[in-house]
Amino acid sequence: MKTEDLKNNKEYKYGFTTDVENIRSPKGLSEETIRFISNIKKEPKWMLDWRLKAYNRLKVLKEPDWQKPKYPKIDYQDLYYYSAPKSASDKPKSLDEIDPKILETYKKLGIPLVEQKRLNGIAVDAVFDSVSVATTFKDELTKKGIIFCSISEAIQKHPDLVKKYLGSVIPISDHYFATLNSAVFTDGSFVYIPPNTKCPMELSTYFRINASETGQFERTLIIADKGSYVSYLEGCTAPMRDENQLHAANVELVALDDAEIKYSTVQNWYPGDEKGVGGIYNFVTKRGACRGKNSKISWTQVETGSAITWKYPSCILQGDNSVGEFYSIAITNNFQKADTGTKMIHLGKNTKSKIISKGISAGNADNMYRGLVEIKNKAINSRNYTQCDSLLMGNKCGAHTTPYIKNNNATSTIEHEATTTKINEEQLYYCNQRGLDQEEAVSLIVNGFCKEVLQQLPMEFAVEAQKLVAISLEGSVG
Amino acid sequence: MKQNYDFKIDKIKDLTSEEISLRKKNLDLFYQTGFPNKKDEDWKFSDLNSILSNNFNKIANNDFLPREKEFKIIDEFEHNFISLFNGKLISKDFSYEEKNKILIKNFDYKDNLVLDSKNSLYFLNNALATGGFSLEISKNYKLKKPLVVYNNFSNSLKEKIVNYKNSIILNENSELNLINYINNSSKENFMANILESIKVKKDSSLNNILINNSKCNCYFYKYIKSDLEKNSNFENYLLSSGLKFNKLDIEINLNEENSNSSVFSALNLINKEHQEIKTRINHNAPNCNSYQKVKNVLNDESKGVYQGKIFVKNISQKTDAYQLSKALILNDAAEFDAKPELEIYADDVKCSHGSTSGSIDLNSIHYLKSRGIPEKEAYQMLINGFLCEILEKLSEGKIKNFLKEKLERQINGY
Amino acid sequence: MLNIKNLQATIDNKHILRGLNLNIKPGEVHAIMGPNGSGKSTLANVLSGKNGYDIKGEIKYNGVSLSKLSTEERAQKGIFLAFQYPLEIPGVNTNTFLKTSLNSVRKAQGEKELDTLTFLKLIKEKASELGIDEKFLSRQLNVGFSGGEKKKNEILQMKLLQPKLSILDETDSGLDIDALRIVADGVNSYKSKENAFLIITHYQRLLDYIKPDYVHVLSNGRIIKTGDADLGVQLEKTGYSNIV
């Protein structure tokens, strides 16, 4: 590959904006903004009250500052909290009614909705900026009693489920960004799998951040009722912007008796340019409750984008014999910063958790694994296994590991291992000798390093993720 | 609830007005937070304020020097000694060594030891410290016998805090085996807050052992700041089971190439004992090694904590750093907390850590039992084996035997 | 010596032994062969009294039921299990372990405990018979031992403790030909009219060196065929699939 080609390739592949007129809420964070959002979404009073309660709580909370990556102060009064494509205001009934420009956008991203429907058998609930614009496969899912819709629709049509579970895993009074989300969330996905039902397809949402100066605040709620199973995919790409944009989503998962939720994320938002200008702040709260016995929640994430990634998808293992898993790849290059990991809280008996984290750092980037494993006194016969591996490329970047381990039980075991190494030069040499160029060799070796996590992803995602790993590290070696 | 205290600088004699104002400043800094609590990240797992307030009514600074200067000398091996009573240097004996090679004197508070710690106990020590010693070993001198520092605490320290500072300097190409021996057998509760600065110069080697004589109601805190020069060696053995509370806070700065450091610890905690080993190893130069192995056996309602941080600067290529913490939890009311941290900015390094905690291995118990060994003995055997392994690297000899025997007594009851 | 009637064993809701019958008399050598997962190691564990199994049926050892006896009591009464995977126990010195073990057994049998000197003399003698380097005895128990060294250590323990019933669980696995011969010689030299052996193995290999009086085929938790030494040879040729 020629140097020039390389350079072009390195630039953000998805850097474009779609010219769509926006409806915006008043600028800034206020009760008025919240009422505006609630009103435009025609929400019932209980929902507005819920938001206002969060807003009042927010007023006394402070932004946390313990994280490793520091960021310039965010002016919350300088952001728009709601922006929806105009053409989506009257909800389209089918794909044909969707603004062709939006569909074009997805095509560029490699997610042609129409084709997806036919080829992949994946139901897609696409979020364009803040409003869910299209949902496919509804009929097939409806037959099984599965509800897969936007959270706005769920608030209208399934208020009992929403009331019962919203905020039951991430309470209104949680930390700053989660509470901010509770006050101003605009849209997101809602999934309910009825008892003893295996969701017949992978459910998927692609997120995009589009309009500038828009903080994006999704809210996702997934409930797997007794004996059910669902696999949910979340993928993100964002167009290039100079200003930093805040993304503070909340994702809540609830697994009842014998239920299983598998949640996979590929996050590829705009990381800023090579000098560290621009990029998304990805401050997300993801938490799952294994509420029933024998339930299982498995998080898999591939984090290659954003200027700052700051999140800890967690599992609260309440039910006896429940299982929590966390598989993560976090790649940081140039001036990217990641502070990510998980929390596994063991409350029930015979609960098990597993954490596999792979951090890769190149350029001037900083990559931190931070995690908590806590086995409470009543969680007898519980187990945790944690493995955190870091790979460093060059000596301008950093790799850090900060696990918190608390074991309060004589029958439970916690095992933690971590290593930090550089890319093996012998392996590189071997690959070079077999004709691979530096970039290819690095990609091959890094993909090998990440294998345990990549193989957790559903097939469709795994291929995309592998490509991302390679793209993210281009130009970082040699 | 905030721990009550009654601290008076005017109890301290012979201070210049300058010293008094400096000490007052430090006391004010202490008053801002009081004793550290769990909101302080460094004290997250050991909330000293609440531990103290559960066990003390009011803490006052000690101004009492006992008349008694008698203490039992260790007779298991020949040694030099320094004897402190409530921190004050009382006697010394270096009869095994050449004259003029060892400089020992009272710690000089005009030397103003700056340890850049933000910890409130550091301010408290600055405000109230008296006593302590300065020790300096001459260039090219290797002590023939080990040096025991008897940290004697009198029986009359009820609800008192003893603060002092020590300074230890090993000049070029010198060698010292140092045994810090905590000696107190009263039932009274008291606290000790000690700051120590250690400098290990080029080609020198220091073996630093900490052990206590018996169970005591001591709430112990010691902060050690050590700086290592080229080709130097600094090994630590921490065996402090029996203290009611103990936090050993050790900072090791590997400032020049080819220096080595290690921290070994074996603790068998019972009742409500609470002990923490906290380390910060700064790899500030290339080609240095650090090794840490911390083992806890936790009975009853005891709590063991390990917070270890390895920091590797970007110039510190070829660093080899390792930390391992292992805990056996023998009772559901016991707890083990760990925070093993790596912060790494250089790529050509080998850094790893491991931490395991949990029950004793029942398969091993079964194996021992299948050879006819009764269950209780099988447990004891595994626990002994688990903890005594810490001493393995120590060279064979009387000191090792002494430590092993002490450790076994700590495990099997004083 | 050993009488097993309708033995059933369950662990974690898995029914592993499903009605096993076996009688062993003093002086006899029995071999139990069977495919993986047939319950061979479970039988060894159950006989040694390992916790965690739910047991039905009857095991009598010299007329006494084993069900109420702990692992160490069984060991003290002369039941020895050579483990398939001998455990590594860091920090525990091999000599200390062997001495504690021997004296526990001697004490239970009403014999005088050995002092260190006598013990060391005895252990050196036994070790040299098996070609075990003395240095091993001062190392941590099984830590860093090779597969062969661990198995030799098991046989050393057997010869030291002088059990009446020795159960060898896959003792041949992981051994090269020289180690196999040493182990077999160790067993053969300990064979007598009073002692019995139960050899659990997947392959005929060990039985080429230690000739069994009986060979049993274990399948699905039951003994489905019993024969003499020739049965083992036959199995080696035809495999288990023809019988099971």
PDB file of all heavy atoms in Angstrom, chain B residues 231-257:
ATOM      1  N   ASN B 231      22.232  -0.201  40.985  1.00  0.00           N
ATOM      2  CA  ASN B 231      22.679  -1.524  41.473  1.00  0.00           C
ATOM      3  C   ASN B 231      22.372  -1.766  42.946  1.00  0.00           C
ATOM      4  O   ASN B 231      23.083  -2.512  43.608  1.00  0.00           O
ATOM      5  CB  ASN B 231      24.191  -1.712  41.299  1.00  0.00           C
ATOM      6  CG  ASN B 231      24.604  -1.634  39.851  1.00  0.00           C
ATOM      7  OD1 ASN B 231      23.873  -2.101  38.976  1.00  0.00           O
ATOM      8  ND2 ASN B 231      25.751  -1.038  39.593  1.00  0.00           N
ATOM      9  N   SER B 232      21.384  -1.131  43.475  1.00  0.00           N
ATOM     10  CA  SER B 232      21.084  -1.356  44.891  1.00  0.00           C
ATOM     11  C   SER B 232      19.961  -2.373  45.048  1.00  0.00           C
ATOM     12  O   SER B 232      19.308  -2.759  44.084  1.00  0.00           O
ATOM     13  CB  SER B 232      20.713  -0.040  45.556  1.00  0.00           C
ATOM     14  OG  SER B 232      19.548   0.475  44.956  1.00  0.00           O
ATOM     15  N   ASN B 233      19.785  -2.764  46.280  1.00  0.00           N
ATOM     16  CA  ASN B 233      18.875  -3.862  46.566  1.00  0.00           C
ATOM     17  C   ASN B 233      18.122  -3.569  47.860  1.00  0.00           C
ATOM     18  O   ASN B 233      18.725  -3.172  48.850  1.00  0.00           O
ATOM     19  CB  ASN B 233      19.744  -5.121  46.742  1.00  0.00           C
ATOM     20  CG  ASN B 233      18.940  -6.365  46.526  1.00  0.00           C
ATOM     21  OD1 ASN B 233      17.848  -6.321  45.969  1.00  0.00           O
ATOM     22  ND2 ASN B 233      19.462  -7.475  47.004  1.00  0.00           N
ATOM     23  N   PHE B 234      16.814  -3.739  47.839  1.00  0.00           N
ATOM     24  CA  PHE B 234      16.015  -3.431  49.025  1.00  0.00           C
ATOM     25  C   PHE B 234      14.940  -4.488  49.164  1.00  0.00           C
ATOM     26  O   PHE B 234      14.032  -4.592  48.349  1.00  0.00           O
ATOM     27  CB  PHE B 234      15.396  -2.030  48.847  1.00  0.00           C
ATOM     28  CG  PHE B 234      14.553  -1.555  49.999  1.00  0.00           C
ATOM     29  CD1 PHE B 234      14.891  -1.828  51.324  1.00  0.00           C
ATOM     30  CD2 PHE B 234      13.396  -0.807  49.763  1.00  0.00           C
ATOM     31  CE1 PHE B 234      14.109  -1.369  52.372  1.00  0.00           C
ATOM     32  CE2 PHE B 234      12.611  -0.339  50.807  1.00  0.00           C
ATOM     33  CZ  PHE B 234      12.975  -0.625  52.116  1.00  0.00           C
ATOM     34  N   GLU B 235      15.065  -5.308  50.216  1.00  0.00           N
ATOM     35  CA  GLU B 235      14.078  -6.378  50.418  1.00  0.00           C
ATOM     36  C   GLU B 235      13.313  -6.158  51.702  1.00  0.00           C
ATOM     37  O   GLU B 235      13.873  -5.767  52.717  1.00  0.00           O
ATOM     38  CB  GLU B 235      14.783  -7.737  50.519  1.00  0.00           C
ATOM     39  CG  GLU B 235      15.064  -8.346  49.178  1.00  0.00           C
ATOM     40  CD  GLU B 235      15.550  -9.785  49.260  1.00  0.00           C
ATOM     41  OE1 GLU B 235      15.273 -10.463  50.264  1.00  0.00           O
ATOM     42  OE2 GLU B 235      16.215 -10.216  48.309  1.00  0.00           O
ATOM     43  N   ASN B 236      12.024  -6.416  51.658  1.00  0.00           N
ATOM     44  CA  ASN B 236      11.185  -6.233  52.839  1.00  0.00           C
ATOM     45  C   ASN B 236      10.470  -7.526  53.210  1.00  0.00           C
ATOM     46  O   ASN B 236       9.932  -8.203  52.339  1.00  0.00           O
ATOM     47  CB  ASN B 236      10.108  -5.178  52.560  1.00  0.00           C
ATOM     48  CG  ASN B 236      10.697  -3.804  52.417  1.00  0.00           C
ATOM     49  OD1 ASN B 236      10.955  -3.129  53.404  1.00  0.00           O
ATOM     50  ND2 ASN B 236      10.943  -3.391  51.177  1.00  0.00           N
ATOM     51  N   TYR B 237      10.478  -7.832  54.493  1.00  0.00           N
ATOM     52  CA  TYR B 237       9.699  -8.967  55.008  1.00  0.00           C
ATOM     53  C   TYR B 237       8.785  -8.440  56.102  1.00  0.00           C
ATOM     54  O   TYR B 237       9.273  -7.910  57.108  1.00  0.00           O
ATOM     55  CB  TYR B 237      10.617 -10.049  55.561  1.00  0.00           C
ATOM     56  CG  TYR B 237      11.385 -10.750  54.477  1.00  0.00           C
ATOM     57  CD1 TYR B 237      12.613 -10.277  54.040  1.00  0.00           C
ATOM     58  CD2 TYR B 237      10.851 -11.874  53.857  1.00  0.00           C
ATOM     59  CE1 TYR B 237      13.304 -10.897  53.009  1.00  0.00           C
ATOM     60  CE2 TYR B 237      11.529 -12.513  52.823  1.00  0.00           C
ATOM     61  CZ  TYR B 237      12.751 -12.024  52.410  1.00  0.00           C
ATOM     62  OH  TYR B 237      13.420 -12.645  51.386  1.00  0.00           O
ATOM     63  N   LEU B 238       7.504  -8.559  55.905  1.00  0.00           N
ATOM     64  CA  LEU B 238       6.551  -7.963  56.830  1.00  0.00           C
ATOM     65  C   LEU B 238       5.736  -9.059  57.508  1.00  0.00           C
ATOM     66  O   LEU B 238       4.951  -9.751  56.864  1.00  0.00           O
ATOM     67  CB  LEU B 238       5.626  -7.004  56.068  1.00  0.00           C
ATOM     68  CG  LEU B 238       6.355  -6.042  55.120  1.00  0.00           C
ATOM     69  CD1 LEU B 238       5.367  -5.279  54.257  1.00  0.00           C
ATOM     70  CD2 LEU B 238       7.233  -5.076  55.909  1.00  0.00           C
ATOM     71  N   LEU B 239       5.967  -9.230  58.795  1.00  0.00           N
ATOM     72  CA  LEU B 239       5.319 -10.309  59.536  1.00  0.00           C
ATOM     73  C   LEU B 239       4.734  -9.724  60.817  1.00  0.00           C
ATOM     74  O   LEU B 239       5.340  -9.792  61.873  1.00  0.00           O
ATOM     75  CB  LEU B 239       6.348 -11.395  59.894  1.00  0.00           C
ATOM     76  CG  LEU B 239       7.226 -11.883  58.730  1.00  0.00           C
ATOM     77  CD1 LEU B 239       8.484 -12.541  59.249  1.00  0.00           C
ATOM     78  CD2 LEU B 239       6.466 -12.852  57.851  1.00  0.00           C
ATOM     79  N   SER B 240       3.578  -9.110  60.707  1.00  0.00           N
ATOM     80  CA  SER B 240       3.085  -8.341  61.840  1.00  0.00           C
ATOM     81  C   SER B 240       1.785  -8.876  62.433  1.00  0.00           C
ATOM     82  O   SER B 240       1.019  -8.138  63.021  1.00  0.00           O
ATOM     83  CB  SER B 240       2.903  -6.890  61.415  1.00  0.00           C
ATOM     84  OG  SER B 240       2.080  -6.846  60.271  1.00  0.00           O
ATOM     85  N   SER B 241       1.508 -10.181  62.265  1.00  0.00           N
ATOM     86  CA  SER B 241       0.285 -10.743  62.851  1.00  0.00           C
ATOM     87  C   SER B 241       0.262 -10.496  64.341  1.00  0.00           C
ATOM     88  O   SER B 241       1.283 -10.614  65.009  1.00  0.00           O
ATOM     89  CB  SER B 241       0.226 -12.246  62.631  1.00  0.00           C
ATOM     90  OG  SER B 241       0.458 -12.559  61.306  1.00  0.00           O
ATOM     91  N   GLY B 242      -0.896 -10.146  64.857  1.00  0.00           N
ATOM     92  CA  GLY B 242      -1.013  -9.947  66.300  1.00  0.00           C
ATOM     93  C   GLY B 242      -1.280  -8.504  66.667  1.00  0.00           C
ATOM     94  O   GLY B 242      -1.778  -8.219  67.740  1.00  0.00           O
ATOM     95  N   LEU B 243      -0.928  -7.571  65.766  1.00  0.00           N
ATOM     96  CA  LEU B 243      -1.282  -6.179  66.009  1.00  0.00           C
ATOM     97  C   LEU B 243      -2.773  -6.005  65.712  1.00  0.00           C
ATOM     98  O   LEU B 243      -3.286  -6.566  64.756  1.00  0.00           O
ATOM     99  CB  LEU B 243      -0.480  -5.241  65.104  1.00  0.00           C
ATOM    100  CG  LEU B 243       1.038  -5.253  65.279  1.00  0.00           C
ATOM    101  CD1 LEU B 243       1.695  -4.344  64.250  1.00  0.00           C
ATOM    102  CD2 LEU B 243       1.414  -4.811  66.677  1.00  0.00           C
ATOM    103  N   LYS B 244      -3.427  -5.223  66.537  1.00  0.00           N
ATOM    104  CA  LYS B 244      -4.873  -5.044  66.376  1.00  0.00           C
ATOM    105  C   LYS B 244      -5.190  -4.398  65.025  1.00  0.00           C
ATOM    106  O   LYS B 244      -6.066  -4.825  64.290  1.00  0.00           O
ATOM    107  CB  LYS B 244      -5.386  -4.161  67.520  1.00  0.00           C
ATOM    108  CG  LYS B 244      -6.862  -4.114  67.667  1.00  0.00           C
ATOM    109  CD  LYS B 244      -7.401  -5.356  68.358  1.00  0.00           C
ATOM    110  CE  LYS B 244      -8.918  -5.372  68.385  1.00  0.00           C
ATOM    111  NZ  LYS B 244      -9.486  -4.321  69.225  1.00  0.00           N
ATOM    112  N   PHE B 245      -4.452  -3.351  64.738  1.00  0.00           N
ATOM    113  CA  PHE B 245      -4.570  -2.703  63.433  1.00  0.00           C
ATOM    114  C   PHE B 245      -3.170  -2.393  62.944  1.00  0.00           C
ATOM    115  O   PHE B 245      -2.306  -2.004  63.720  1.00  0.00           O
ATOM    116  CB  PHE B 245      -5.378  -1.394  63.532  1.00  0.00           C
ATOM    117  CG  PHE B 245      -5.367  -0.605  62.245  1.00  0.00           C
ATOM    118  CD1 PHE B 245      -6.300  -0.864  61.262  1.00  0.00           C
ATOM    119  CD2 PHE B 245      -4.407   0.372  62.008  1.00  0.00           C
ATOM    120  CE1 PHE B 245      -6.289  -0.164  60.055  1.00  0.00           C
ATOM    121  CE2 PHE B 245      -4.383   1.068  60.796  1.00  0.00           C
ATOM    122  CZ  PHE B 245      -5.324   0.806  59.835  1.00  0.00           C
ATOM    123  N   ASN B 246      -2.980  -2.567  61.653  1.00  0.00           N
ATOM    124  CA  ASN B 246      -1.678  -2.234  61.110  1.00  0.00           C
ATOM    125  C   ASN B 246      -1.821  -1.826  59.665  1.00  0.00           C
ATOM    126  O   ASN B 246      -2.515  -2.470  58.896  1.00  0.00           O
ATOM    127  CB  ASN B 246      -0.749  -3.450  61.211  1.00  0.00           C
ATOM    128  CG  ASN B 246       0.655  -3.141  60.719  1.00  0.00           C
ATOM    129  OD1 ASN B 246       1.039  -1.979  60.635  1.00  0.00           O
ATOM    130  ND2 ASN B 246       1.413  -4.163  60.389  1.00  0.00           N
ATOM    131  N   LYS B 247      -1.206  -0.719  59.337  1.00  0.00           N
ATOM    132  CA  LYS B 247      -1.122  -0.370  57.918  1.00  0.00           C
ATOM    133  C   LYS B 247       0.321  -0.005  57.622  1.00  0.00           C
ATOM    134  O   LYS B 247       0.874   0.923  58.208  1.00  0.00           O
ATOM    135  CB  LYS B 247      -2.059   0.788  57.582  1.00  0.00           C
ATOM    136  CG  LYS B 247      -1.931   1.240  56.118  1.00  0.00           C
ATOM    137  CD  LYS B 247      -3.169   1.965  55.642  1.00  0.00           C
ATOM    138  CE  LYS B 247      -2.934   2.559  54.258  1.00  0.00           C
ATOM    139  NZ  LYS B 247      -4.191   2.906  53.583  1.00  0.00           N
ATOM    140  N   LEU B 248       0.909  -0.769  56.737  1.00  0.00           N
ATOM    141  CA  LEU B 248       2.281  -0.498  56.325  1.00  0.00           C
ATOM    142  C   LEU B 248       2.212   0.084  54.923  1.00  0.00           C
ATOM    143  O   LEU B 248       1.703  -0.548  54.004  1.00  0.00           O
ATOM    144  CB  LEU B 248       3.109  -1.777  56.351  1.00  0.00           C
ATOM    145  CG  LEU B 248       3.221  -2.412  57.740  1.00  0.00           C
ATOM    146  CD1 LEU B 248       3.851  -3.792  57.655  1.00  0.00           C
ATOM    147  CD2 LEU B 248       4.021  -1.524  58.683  1.00  0.00           C
ATOM    148  N   ASP B 249       2.667   1.285  54.819  1.00  0.00           N
ATOM    149  CA  ASP B 249       2.505   2.070  53.598  1.00  0.00           C
ATOM    150  C   ASP B 249       3.910   2.300  53.045  1.00  0.00           C
ATOM    151  O   ASP B 249       4.685   3.066  53.606  1.00  0.00           O
ATOM    152  CB  ASP B 249       1.845   3.389  54.045  1.00  0.00           C
ATOM    153  CG  ASP B 249       1.284   4.171  52.888  1.00  0.00           C
ATOM    154  OD1 ASP B 249       1.694   3.915  51.757  1.00  0.00           O
ATOM    155  OD2 ASP B 249       0.454   5.069  53.148  1.00  0.00           O
ATOM    156  N   ILE B 250       4.242   1.579  52.001  1.00  0.00           N
ATOM    157  CA  ILE B 250       5.638   1.572  51.554  1.00  0.00           C
ATOM    158  C   ILE B 250       5.777   2.132  50.152  1.00  0.00           C
ATOM    159  O   ILE B 250       5.127   1.659  49.219  1.00  0.00           O
ATOM    160  CB  ILE B 250       6.196   0.131  51.588  1.00  0.00           C
ATOM    161  CG1 ILE B 250       6.069  -0.414  53.010  1.00  0.00           C
ATOM    162  CG2 ILE B 250       7.642   0.079  51.122  1.00  0.00           C
ATOM    163  CD1 ILE B 250       6.534  -1.830  53.157  1.00  0.00           C
ATOM    164  N   GLU B 251       6.597   3.143  50.023  1.00  0.00           N
ATOM    165  CA  GLU B 251       6.881   3.698  48.705  1.00  0.00           C
ATOM    166  C   GLU B 251       8.323   3.380  48.350  1.00  0.00           C
ATOM    167  O   GLU B 251       9.243   3.658  49.121  1.00  0.00           O
ATOM    168  CB  GLU B 251       6.660   5.218  48.737  1.00  0.00           C
ATOM    169  CG  GLU B 251       6.985   5.892  47.417  1.00  0.00           C
ATOM    170  CD  GLU B 251       6.822   7.409  47.483  1.00  0.00           C
ATOM    171  OE1 GLU B 251       5.955   7.891  48.238  1.00  0.00           O
ATOM    172  OE2 GLU B 251       7.602   8.091  46.792  1.00  0.00           O
ATOM    173  N   ILE B 252       8.500   2.778  47.199  1.00  0.00           N
ATOM    174  CA  ILE B 252       9.860   2.443  46.769  1.00  0.00           C
ATOM    175  C   ILE B 252      10.117   3.137  45.438  1.00  0.00           C
ATOM    176  O   ILE B 252       9.390   2.928  44.471  1.00  0.00           O
ATOM    177  CB  ILE B 252      10.041   0.913  46.625  1.00  0.00           C
ATOM    178  CG1 ILE B 252       9.793   0.228  47.969  1.00  0.00           C
ATOM    179  CG2 ILE B 252      11.429   0.581  46.094  1.00  0.00           C
ATOM    180  CD1 ILE B 252       9.809  -1.289  47.922  1.00  0.00           C
ATOM    181  N   ASN B 253      11.140   3.976  45.412  1.00  0.00           N
ATOM    182  CA  ASN B 253      11.506   4.674  44.184  1.00  0.00           C
ATOM    183  C   ASN B 253      12.768   4.061  43.603  1.00  0.00           C
ATOM    184  O   ASN B 253      13.836   4.157  44.195  1.00  0.00           O
ATOM    185  CB  ASN B 253      11.735   6.159  44.473  1.00  0.00           C
ATOM    186  CG  ASN B 253      10.457   6.831  44.888  1.00  0.00           C
ATOM    187  OD1 ASN B 253       9.490   6.880  44.123  1.00  0.00           O
ATOM    188  ND2 ASN B 253      10.411   7.308  46.121  1.00  0.00           N
ATOM    189  N   LEU B 254      12.594   3.407  42.472  1.00  0.00           N
ATOM    190  CA  LEU B 254      13.757   2.831  41.791  1.00  0.00           C
ATOM    191  C   LEU B 254      14.252   3.914  40.843  1.00  0.00           C
ATOM    192  O   LEU B 254      13.774   4.054  39.726  1.00  0.00           O
ATOM    193  CB  LEU B 254      13.328   1.562  41.048  1.00  0.00           C
ATOM    194  CG  LEU B 254      12.744   0.473  41.971  1.00  0.00           C
ATOM    195  CD1 LEU B 254      11.795  -0.441  41.229  1.00  0.00           C
ATOM    196  CD2 LEU B 254      13.854  -0.322  42.627  1.00  0.00           C
ATOM    197  N   ASN B 255      15.213   4.713  41.353  1.00  0.00           N
ATOM    198  CA  ASN B 255      15.573   5.941  40.646  1.00  0.00           C
ATOM    199  C   ASN B 255      16.689   5.782  39.633  1.00  0.00           C
ATOM    200  O   ASN B 255      16.871   6.632  38.783  1.00  0.00           O
ATOM    201  CB  ASN B 255      15.974   7.028  41.651  1.00  0.00           C
ATOM    202  CG  ASN B 255      14.784   7.447  42.498  1.00  0.00           C
ATOM    203  OD1 ASN B 255      13.640   7.427  42.030  1.00  0.00           O
ATOM    204  ND2 ASN B 255      15.034   7.802  43.749  1.00  0.00           N
ATOM    205  N   GLU B 256      17.456   4.696  39.781  1.00  0.00           N
ATOM    206  CA  GLU B 256      18.554   4.492  38.834  1.00  0.00           C
ATOM    207  C   GLU B 256      18.570   3.034  38.382  1.00  0.00           C
ATOM    208  O   GLU B 256      17.985   2.166  39.005  1.00  0.00           O
ATOM    209  CB  GLU B 256      19.890   4.882  39.496  1.00  0.00           C
ATOM    210  CG  GLU B 256      19.985   6.380  39.735  1.00  0.00           C
ATOM    211  CD  GLU B 256      21.287   6.797  40.426  1.00  0.00           C
ATOM    212  OE1 GLU B 256      22.243   5.985  40.466  1.00  0.00           O
ATOM    213  OE2 GLU B 256      21.334   7.906  40.938  1.00  0.00           O
ATOM    214  N   GLU B 257      19.339   2.821  37.310  1.00  0.00           N
ATOM    215  CA  GLU B 257      19.309   1.514  36.664  1.00  0.00           C
ATOM    216  C   GLU B 257      19.728   0.341  37.557  1.00  0.00           C
ATOM    217  O   GLU B 257      20.479   0.501  38.506  1.00  0.00           O
ATOM    218  CB  GLU B 257      20.241   1.539  35.450  1.00  0.00           C
ATOM    219  CG  GLU B 257      19.605   2.205  34.253  1.00  0.00           C
ATOM    220  CD  GLU B 257      20.373   1.908  32.984  1.00  0.00           C
ATOM    221  OE1 GLU B 257      20.446   0.731  32.603  1.00  0.00           O
ATOM    222  OE2 GLU B 257      20.894   2.865  32.390  1.00  0.00           O
TER     223      GLU B 257
END
